[in-house]
Amino acid sequence: MNPTRLAFLRSTLCRHFRKDPLSARPFEGLRFIDVGCGGGILSEPLARMGATVTGIDAIEKNIKIARLHANLDPTTSTIEYCCTTAEKLVEEQRKFDAVIALEVIEHVADAAEFCKSLSALTAHEGATVVSTINRSMRSYATAIVAAEYLLQWLPKGTHQWSSFLTPEELTMILKRAGVDVKEMAGFVYNPLTGRWSLSDDISVNFIAYGTKEK
């Protein structure tokens, strides 16, 4: 799914920051933060596209793995990895041109407070991007029953269906936090090709791009 996420990020953020999407390093000079970065699977390609990247995760083991892998490549060794939370960076008054939190919000205790932190980290006229899983019967069948129990892509219990947000709920929560959602897309998996693609179908996995309101 990562190449599909990156395609959405390149398209929306190049448009937002008026950058050339065909450039090898379109995000040169921009500060991005990858909230819930895990092992750096998103942080690294963003750095290769020119962004000054900060990756944060609450789990120290993830940060250690991310640092080890990033140091293997000079273009990614500049990534600032920190074992911390978005809330703590807000206290430090950090600001970023783009704040990205993919597949994280469904795991936090308070989605509204989390979005307030994402908004607070977003610089004036910056962008906020959030991806998650829709709370639908289809998502229960695919993201939980299929992914965790049948295909075993994820450990059992990774997701709680009740913690998923509908697109309307996410839009409202972000709006209240000061982020105006401008574009949304779905991720659809093709079992025949084994590939993910962007789609208008937001019934399961979806991503939202918004701008910081004044």
Side-chain angles (χ1 to χ4, degrees), residues 78-113:
T78 57
I79 298 172
E80 176 194 14
Y81 282 118
C82 306
C83 182
T84 188
T85 63
E87 292 76 14
K88 288 180 181 177
L89 290 190
V90 171
E91 292 175 5
E92 296 172 17
Q93 299 185 336
R94 297 284 299 271
K95 293 285 184 182
F96 300 88
D97 298 301
V99 175
I100 303 165
L102 305 189
E103 313 298 325
V104 178
I105 195 169
E106 64 268 24
H107 300 290
V108 304
D110 190 327
E113 288 301 313

Short mmCIF file of all heavy atoms in Angstrom, two decimals, residues 78-113:
data_model
loop_
_atom_site.label_atom_id
_atom_site.label_comp_id
_atom_site.label_asym_id
_atom_site.label_seq_id
_atom_site.Cartn_x
_atom_site.Cartn_y
_atom_site.Cartn_z
N THR A 78 19.68 11.69 7.19
CA THR A 78 19.39 13.01 7.79
C THR A 78 18.03 13.05 8.51
O THR A 78 17.70 14.04 9.15
CB THR A 78 19.38 14.10 6.69
OG1 THR A 78 18.41 13.73 5.69
CG2 THR A 78 20.74 14.24 6.05
N ILE A 79 17.24 11.97 8.40
CA ILE A 79 15.93 11.95 9.05
C ILE A 79 16.10 12.04 10.57
O ILE A 79 16.93 11.34 11.16
CB ILE A 79 15.16 10.66 8.70
CG1 ILE A 79 14.89 10.57 7.20
CG2 ILE A 79 13.83 10.59 9.47
CD1 ILE A 79 14.30 9.23 6.75
N GLU A 80 15.32 12.91 11.18
CA GLU A 80 15.33 13.06 12.64
C GLU A 80 14.28 12.12 13.23
O GLU A 80 13.08 12.36 13.12
CB GLU A 80 15.01 14.51 13.03
CG GLU A 80 14.92 14.72 14.53
CD GLU A 80 14.27 16.05 14.91
OE1 GLU A 80 13.65 16.69 14.04
OE2 GLU A 80 14.37 16.42 16.10
N TYR A 81 14.73 11.03 13.84
CA TYR A 81 13.81 10.09 14.46
C TYR A 81 13.78 10.32 15.97
O TYR A 81 14.83 10.44 16.62
CB TYR A 81 14.23 8.65 14.18
CG TYR A 81 13.88 8.16 12.80
CD1 TYR A 81 14.87 7.75 11.90
CD2 TYR A 81 12.55 8.07 12.39
CE1 TYR A 81 14.54 7.28 10.63
CE2 TYR A 81 12.21 7.61 11.12
CZ TYR A 81 13.20 7.22 10.26
OH TYR A 81 12.88 6.76 9.00
N CYS A 82 12.59 10.39 16.54
CA CYS A 82 12.44 10.63 17.97
C CYS A 82 11.38 9.71 18.57
O CYS A 82 10.31 9.52 17.97
CB CYS A 82 12.01 12.08 18.24
SG CYS A 82 13.07 13.33 17.52
N CYS A 83 11.67 9.16 19.72
CA CYS A 83 10.67 8.38 20.45
C CYS A 83 9.89 9.37 21.31
O CYS A 83 10.30 9.73 22.42
CB CYS A 83 11.35 7.32 21.32
SG CYS A 83 10.15 6.28 22.19
N THR A 84 8.79 9.82 20.77
CA THR A 84 7.97 10.83 21.45
C THR A 84 6.56 10.79 20.88
O THR A 84 6.23 9.90 20.08
CB THR A 84 8.60 12.23 21.30
OG1 THR A 84 7.89 13.16 22.11
CG2 THR A 84 8.58 12.71 19.85
N THR A 85 5.73 11.73 21.28
CA THR A 85 4.35 11.81 20.79
C THR A 85 4.09 13.16 20.17
O THR A 85 4.83 14.14 20.41
CB THR A 85 3.35 11.59 21.93
OG1 THR A 85 3.50 12.66 22.89
CG2 THR A 85 3.58 10.25 22.61
N ALA A 86 3.03 13.24 19.40
CA ALA A 86 2.63 14.52 18.79
C ALA A 86 2.34 15.55 19.88
O ALA A 86 2.70 16.73 19.76
CB ALA A 86 1.40 14.31 17.91
N GLU A 87 1.71 15.09 20.95
CA GLU A 87 1.35 16.00 22.05
C GLU A 87 2.58 16.64 22.68
O GLU A 87 2.58 17.84 23.00
CB GLU A 87 0.55 15.23 23.12
CG GLU A 87 -0.83 14.77 22.68
CD GLU A 87 -0.81 13.55 21.75
OE1 GLU A 87 0.25 12.90 21.64
OE2 GLU A 87 -1.85 13.27 21.12
N LYS A 88 3.64 15.87 22.84
CA LYS A 88 4.87 16.42 23.43
C LYS A 88 5.54 17.44 22.51
O LYS A 88 6.09 18.44 22.97
CB LYS A 88 5.84 15.29 23.77
CG LYS A 88 5.39 14.45 24.97
CD LYS A 88 6.37 13.34 25.27
CE LYS A 88 5.89 12.50 26.45
NZ LYS A 88 6.80 11.36 26.71
N LEU A 89 5.47 17.18 21.20
CA LEU A 89 6.06 18.14 20.25
C LEU A 89 5.26 19.44 20.22
O LEU A 89 5.82 20.51 19.97
CB LEU A 89 6.14 17.53 18.86
CG LEU A 89 7.17 16.41 18.66
CD1 LEU A 89 7.30 16.07 17.19
CD2 LEU A 89 8.52 16.79 19.23
N VAL A 90 3.95 19.35 20.46
CA VAL A 90 3.12 20.56 20.55
C VAL A 90 3.60 21.40 21.73
O VAL A 90 3.72 22.63 21.62
CB VAL A 90 1.63 20.20 20.72
CG1 VAL A 90 0.81 21.46 21.03
CG2 VAL A 90 1.09 19.54 19.46
N GLU A 91 3.91 20.75 22.85
CA GLU A 91 4.41 21.45 24.03
C GLU A 91 5.74 22.14 23.73
O GLU A 91 6.04 23.19 24.29
CB GLU A 91 4.58 20.47 25.19
CG GLU A 91 3.27 19.92 25.73
CD GLU A 91 3.47 18.86 26.80
OE1 GLU A 91 4.64 18.63 27.20
OE2 GLU A 91 2.47 18.26 27.24
N GLU A 92 6.51 21.54 22.83
CA GLU A 92 7.81 22.12 22.44
C GLU A 92 7.64 23.19 21.35
O GLU A 92 8.62 23.76 20.89
CB GLU A 92 8.74 21.02 21.93
CG GLU A 92 9.11 20.00 23.01
CD GLU A 92 9.88 18.82 22.43
OE1 GLU A 92 10.39 18.92 21.29
OE2 GLU A 92 9.95 17.78 23.12
N GLN A 93 6.39 23.40 20.93
CA GLN A 93 6.04 24.42 19.92
C GLN A 93 6.71 24.16 18.58
O GLN A 93 7.09 25.09 17.86
CB GLN A 93 6.37 25.83 20.43
CG GLN A 93 5.60 26.20 21.69
CD GLN A 93 5.83 27.64 22.14
OE1 GLN A 93 6.85 28.25 21.82
NE2 GLN A 93 4.89 28.18 22.89
N ARG A 94 6.82 22.88 18.21
CA ARG A 94 7.38 22.53 16.90
C ARG A 94 6.32 22.76 15.82
O ARG A 94 5.12 22.59 16.05
CB ARG A 94 7.81 21.05 16.89
CG ARG A 94 8.93 20.70 17.86
CD ARG A 94 10.28 21.17 17.37
NE ARG A 94 10.66 20.55 16.10
CZ ARG A 94 11.32 19.39 16.00
NH1 ARG A 94 11.64 18.71 17.08
NH2 ARG A 94 11.66 18.91 14.81
N LYS A 95 6.77 23.13 14.63
CA LYS A 95 5.87 23.37 13.50
C LYS A 95 6.44 22.71 12.24
O LYS A 95 7.66 22.68 12.04
CB LYS A 95 5.70 24.87 13.24
CG LYS A 95 4.98 25.64 14.35
CD LYS A 95 3.48 25.38 14.33
CE LYS A 95 2.76 26.22 15.38
NZ LYS A 95 1.30 25.95 15.40
N PHE A 96 5.53 22.22 11.39
CA PHE A 96 5.94 21.54 10.16
C PHE A 96 5.04 21.98 9.00
O PHE A 96 3.87 22.31 9.20
CB PHE A 96 5.84 20.03 10.34
CG PHE A 96 6.71 19.50 11.45
CD1 PHE A 96 6.23 19.44 12.75
CD2 PHE A 96 8.01 19.10 11.20
CE1 PHE A 96 7.02 18.98 13.79
CE2 PHE A 96 8.82 18.63 12.23
CZ PHE A 96 8.32 18.57 13.53
N ASP A 97 5.61 21.98 7.80
CA ASP A 97 4.83 22.36 6.62
C ASP A 97 3.75 21.32 6.32
O ASP A 97 2.65 21.66 5.90
CB ASP A 97 5.75 22.52 5.41
CG ASP A 97 6.77 23.63 5.61
OD1 ASP A 97 6.35 24.78 5.84
OD2 ASP A 97 7.98 23.33 5.58
N ALA A 98 4.08 20.05 6.55
CA ALA A 98 3.10 18.98 6.34
C ALA A 98 3.17 18.01 7.52
O ALA A 98 4.25 17.58 7.91
CB ALA A 98 3.35 18.25 5.03
N VAL A 99 2.01 17.71 8.06
CA VAL A 99 1.90 16.75 9.17
C VAL A 99 1.15 15.53 8.64
O VAL A 99 0.02 15.65 8.15
CB VAL A 99 1.15 17.38 10.36
CG1 VAL A 99 0.94 16.34 11.46
CG2 VAL A 99 1.93 18.58 10.90
N ILE A 100 1.79 14.37 8.71
CA ILE A 100 1.25 13.15 8.10
C ILE A 100 1.10 12.07 9.17
O ILE A 100 2.06 11.76 9.89
CB ILE A 100 2.19 12.66 6.98
CG1 ILE A 100 2.39 13.77 5.94
CG2 ILE A 100 1.64 11.40 6.33
CD1 ILE A 100 3.56 13.55 5.01
N ALA A 101 -0.11 11.53 9.29
CA ALA A 101 -0.37 10.46 10.26
C ALA A 101 -1.17 9.37 9.56
O ALA A 101 -2.38 9.48 9.41
CB ALA A 101 -1.13 11.01 11.46
N LEU A 102 -0.48 8.34 9.11
CA LEU A 102 -1.12 7.27 8.35
C LEU A 102 -1.33 6.03 9.20
O LEU A 102 -0.39 5.51 9.81
CB LEU A 102 -0.28 6.93 7.11
CG LEU A 102 0.05 8.11 6.18
CD1 LEU A 102 0.69 7.60 4.90
CD2 LEU A 102 -1.16 8.96 5.87
N GLU A 103 -2.57 5.56 9.23
CA GLU A 103 -2.95 4.35 9.99
C GLU A 103 -2.56 4.47 11.47
O GLU A 103 -2.06 3.51 12.06
CB GLU A 103 -2.29 3.10 9.37
CG GLU A 103 -2.40 2.99 7.87
CD GLU A 103 -3.84 2.89 7.38
OE1 GLU A 103 -4.67 2.28 8.06
OE2 GLU A 103 -4.12 3.45 6.30
N VAL A 104 -2.80 5.63 12.04
CA VAL A 104 -2.46 5.86 13.45
C VAL A 104 -3.69 6.20 14.28
O VAL A 104 -3.87 5.70 15.39
CB VAL A 104 -1.43 7.02 13.60
CG1 VAL A 104 -1.12 7.28 15.08
CG2 VAL A 104 -0.16 6.71 12.85
N ILE A 105 -4.58 7.02 13.73
CA ILE A 105 -5.68 7.57 14.51
C ILE A 105 -6.60 6.50 15.09
O ILE A 105 -7.18 6.68 16.17
CB ILE A 105 -6.48 8.60 13.67
CG1 ILE A 105 -7.37 9.44 14.59
CG2 ILE A 105 -7.26 7.94 12.56
CD1 ILE A 105 -8.00 10.64 13.89
N GLU A 106 -6.71 5.35 14.41
CA GLU A 106 -7.58 4.29 14.92
C GLU A 106 -7.00 3.59 16.15
O GLU A 106 -7.67 2.78 16.80
CB GLU A 106 -7.87 3.25 13.83
CG GLU A 106 -6.68 2.47 13.32
CD GLU A 106 -6.01 3.12 12.13
OE1 GLU A 106 -6.15 4.34 11.94
OE2 GLU A 106 -5.34 2.38 11.37
N HIS A 107 -5.73 3.91 16.48
CA HIS A 107 -5.08 3.29 17.64
C HIS A 107 -4.95 4.24 18.84
O HIS A 107 -4.49 3.81 19.89
CB HIS A 107 -3.68 2.79 17.25
CG HIS A 107 -3.69 1.78 16.15
ND1 HIS A 107 -4.17 0.49 16.31
CD2 HIS A 107 -3.29 1.86 14.85
CE1 HIS A 107 -4.06 -0.17 15.18
NE2 HIS A 107 -3.53 0.63 14.27
N VAL A 108 -5.32 5.51 18.69
CA VAL A 108 -5.18 6.46 19.79
C VAL A 108 -6.41 6.44 20.69
O VAL A 108 -7.50 6.04 20.27
CB VAL A 108 -4.92 7.90 19.28
CG1 VAL A 108 -3.69 7.92 18.37
CG2 VAL A 108 -6.13 8.46 18.55
N ALA A 109 -6.22 6.89 21.94
CA ALA A 109 -7.32 6.86 22.91
C ALA A 109 -8.38 7.92 22.62
O ALA A 109 -9.57 7.68 22.83
CB ALA A 109 -6.75 7.06 24.32
N ASP A 110 -7.95 9.07 22.12
CA ASP A 110 -8.88 10.19 21.88
C ASP A 110 -8.58 10.80 20.52
O ASP A 110 -7.64 11.58 20.37
CB ASP A 110 -8.73 11.23 22.99
CG ASP A 110 -9.82 12.31 22.96
OD1 ASP A 110 -10.27 12.66 21.86
OD2 ASP A 110 -10.19 12.81 24.03
N ALA A 111 -9.39 10.46 19.52
CA ALA A 111 -9.15 10.92 18.14
C ALA A 111 -9.23 12.44 18.04
O ALA A 111 -8.46 13.06 17.30
CB ALA A 111 -10.16 10.28 17.20
N ALA A 112 -10.16 13.06 18.77
CA ALA A 112 -10.33 14.51 18.69
C ALA A 112 -9.09 15.24 19.22
O ALA A 112 -8.61 16.20 18.61
CB ALA A 112 -11.57 14.94 19.47
N GLU A 113 -8.57 14.79 20.36
CA GLU A 113 -7.37 15.41 20.93
C GLU A 113 -6.16 15.17 20.04
O GLU A 113 -5.30 16.05 19.90
CB GLU A 113 -7.11 14.88 22.34
CG GLU A 113 -8.09 15.37 23.38
CD GLU A 113 -8.09 16.89 23.52
OE1 GLU A 113 -7.00 17.49 23.59
OE2 GLU A 113 -9.19 17.48 23.52
#
